[in-house]
């Protein structure tokens, strides 16, 4: 398991994170190995998105710290942090009439100075982001003419154009049809394997997570219930504890990835 | 770029028409003669153009450009295509200040009136910004508090009007209805100064606005100091529209319409939108003023009324298109 040996690139240490008096995550210790694909799973409201926002430096922990490469992220100026960490939030919206290219270009913001010109590198980053998300032919299209899946891919392209070594994706597969869901997960894994990018994503589909991720982190009520490789974490006992659903775990014969199948009472 | 050229050409035509047409028509040759200070200009044309129509056209253009730029900023900072500078309290603040001054002091000197209206506009918009601050600002809070405070100021102005001397109240109403008929070079200089500052500031943060319209979270995750940018935009919007209100009273809808025209012509990039918005706004006011003083002779309408007559259907069209999008 190479990811066990890799150094943590992102860490939270005894981090308690919340909004005002309301704590969402308590005393959380998490380390994300470099060049790995980590998926956060858990019931709605368990603090997955809050954790991503804290990892991106958008909320400060009320106690504890968040570290990148061993340094507290609060030490970095915002733009410098944005050169290292890219975040794709949930439920994005772009103004109607804006084109896909307009949006993707905004991903270059942290790399530009106040009076800096648009460079060749900016162009390359945008073109590459469009190409890998299969949105190049949509570049000139206006946002209000796109389907939900196309919009989502445009947002992913914008985040990729930022060219960060860490990518945080909050439900990147929502609104996508199955083939684009798989494309997105494959893309994530490819970025990890080929470029050494570290990805932390929130997903809802346990089986897709088990198939594509290196690490799973299962959260409930703001605490980590279990973390580790899919085979270690996805047991019927743990899934029952986290999601309160009875499942049978079977093994996919070719990849040995675990698959959860809900158990129904015979009389239903 | 072609659309910008067409718009510029169109502006020149409108500006010349606005100089030529009126109670006394002046020929194009005479206009050119006056503008170039040539000896061919006759005394009457010199007087009409230089003292009456030219200041009026220039002031109208500057008022329109200021309101339009302020409108563009308002729509971006409030992230709402139906927003206009009035939403951040500028109109209500200026109106309240003007009504107090006119009703209280009977005949205030014009420059004092302008300055106090400007001060009222700025105070009101800053109060709205301050009150909507709750460990950070949000577009929705600004809009709601803006509507609330504006109604309060409107009620205050009405209260004063009810008990004021009817003649003074009448004067206040005329001043408020938005007119540029008593344009002076003095007003032009003041507004031109504020407009230059406002446009230069907007040009500096054009790129920041491009990002901010995508939402606070997205902008912050790209490393933008969102609160700082929003505060700068708020001040620019207040200064631009406050200066316009101080110069001409309330001229409605220009701030709403002009940015939409610009977006339709050049897209969403603020760097491109800025000059087109300003040009379109200037053109709208000069055109509306031309229509207001020629179509309804012998009783010319205030330009503010005319832009409202033209603007209301456009607003309805925007709502309709949004509903059917």
């Amino acid at each position: 398991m190479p990811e066990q040996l890799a150094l943590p690139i992102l860490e939270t240490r005894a981090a308690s994170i919340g909004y005002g008096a309301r704590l969402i995550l308590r005393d959380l210790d998490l380390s994300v190995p470099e060049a790995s694909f980590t998926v956060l799973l858990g019931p709605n409201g368990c603090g997955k998105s809050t954790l991503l926002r804290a990892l991106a430096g958008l909320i400060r922990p009320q106690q504890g710290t968040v570290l990148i490469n061993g340094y507290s992220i609060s030490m970095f100026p915002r733009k410098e942090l944005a050169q290292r960490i890219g975040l794709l939030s949930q439920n994005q919206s772009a103004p109607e009439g804006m084109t896909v290219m307009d949006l993707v270009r905004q991903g270059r913001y942290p790399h530009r100075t106040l009076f800096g010109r648009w460079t060749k590198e900016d162009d390359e980053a945008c073109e590459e982001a469009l190409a890998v998300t299969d949105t190049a032919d949509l570049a000139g299209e206006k946002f209000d003419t796109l389907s939900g899946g196309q919009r989502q891919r445009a947002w992913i392209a914008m985040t990729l154009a930022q060219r960060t070594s860490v990518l945080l994706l909050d439900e990147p597969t929502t609104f996508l049809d199955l083939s684009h869901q798989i494309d997105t997960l494959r893309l994530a894994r490819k970025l990890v394997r080929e470029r050494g990018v570290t990805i932390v994503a929130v997903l809802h589909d346990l089986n897709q997570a088990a198939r594509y991720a290196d690490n799973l982190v299962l959260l409930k009520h703001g605490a980590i219930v279990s973390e580790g490789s899919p085979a270690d974490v996805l047991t019927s006992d743990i899934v029952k504890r986290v999601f309160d659903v009875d499942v049978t775990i079977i093994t996919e014969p070719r990849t040995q990835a675990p698959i959860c199948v809900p158990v129904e009472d015979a009389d239903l | 770029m072609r659309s910008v050229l067409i718009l510029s050409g169109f502006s020149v035509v409108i500006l010349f028409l606005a100089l030529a047409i009126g109670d006394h028509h002046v020929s194009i040759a005479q206009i050119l003669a006056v503008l170039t200070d040539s000896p061919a200009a006759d005394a009457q044309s010199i007087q009409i153009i230089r003292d009456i129509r030219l200041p009026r056209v220039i002031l109208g253009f500057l008022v329109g450009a200021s309101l339009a730029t302020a409108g563009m900023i308002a729509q971006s900072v409030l992230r709402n295509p139906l927003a206009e500078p009035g939403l951040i309290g500028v109109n209500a603040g200026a109106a309240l200040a003007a009504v107090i001054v006119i009703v209280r002091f009977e005949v205030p000197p014009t420059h004092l009136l302008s300055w106090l209206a400007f001060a009222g506009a700025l105070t009101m918009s800053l109060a709205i910004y301050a009150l909507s601050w709750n460990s950070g600002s949000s577009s929705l809070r600004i809009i709601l508090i803006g509507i609330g405070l504006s109604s309060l100021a409107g009620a205050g102005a009405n209260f004063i009007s009810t008990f004021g001397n009817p003649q003074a109240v009448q004067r206040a109403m005329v001043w408020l209805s938005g007119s540029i008929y008593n344009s002076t070079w003095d007003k032009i200089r003041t507004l031109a100064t504020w407009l230059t500052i406002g446009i230069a500031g907007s040009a500096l943060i054009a790129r920041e606005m491009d990002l901010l319209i995508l939402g606070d979270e997205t902008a912050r995750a790209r490393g933008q100091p969102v609160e700082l940018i929003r505060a700068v935009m708020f001040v620019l919007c207040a200064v631009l529209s406050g200066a316009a209100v101080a110069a001409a009273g309330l001229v409605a809808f220009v701030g709403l319409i002009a940015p939409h025209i610009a977006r339709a012509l050049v897209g969403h990039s603020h760097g491109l939108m800025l000059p087109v918005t300003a040009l379109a706004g200037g053109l709208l006011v000069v055109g509306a003023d031309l229509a207001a003083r020629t179509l309804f002779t012998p009783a010319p309408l205030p330009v503010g009324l005319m832009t409202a007559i033209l603007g209301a259907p456009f607003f309805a069209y925007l709502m309709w298109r949004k509903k059917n999008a």
Side-chain angles (χ1 to χ4, degrees), chain A residues 53 78 82 87 89 92 96-98 103 106 109-110 112-116 158 162, chain B residues 204 207-208 210-211 213-214 217-218 220-226 268 321-322 325:
Chain A
R53 300 187 71 226
R78 276 182 210 230
L87 169 73
S89 311
Q92 298 282 17
E96 52 181 295
M98 184 179 242
L103 177 70
Q106 294 309 314
Y109 178 91
R112 305 182 70 194
T113 51
L114 183 55
F115 298 107
M158 190 270 239
Q162 207 173 334
Chain B
L204 271 180
R207 208 188 273 167
E208 308 289 336
D210 287 343
L211 179 61
I213 54 171
L214 295 178
E217 177 107 342
T218 300
R220 234 174 244 133
R222 288 337 112 188
Q224 185 173 59
V226 171
H268 274 73
R321 212 185 56 165
K322 221 173 146 50

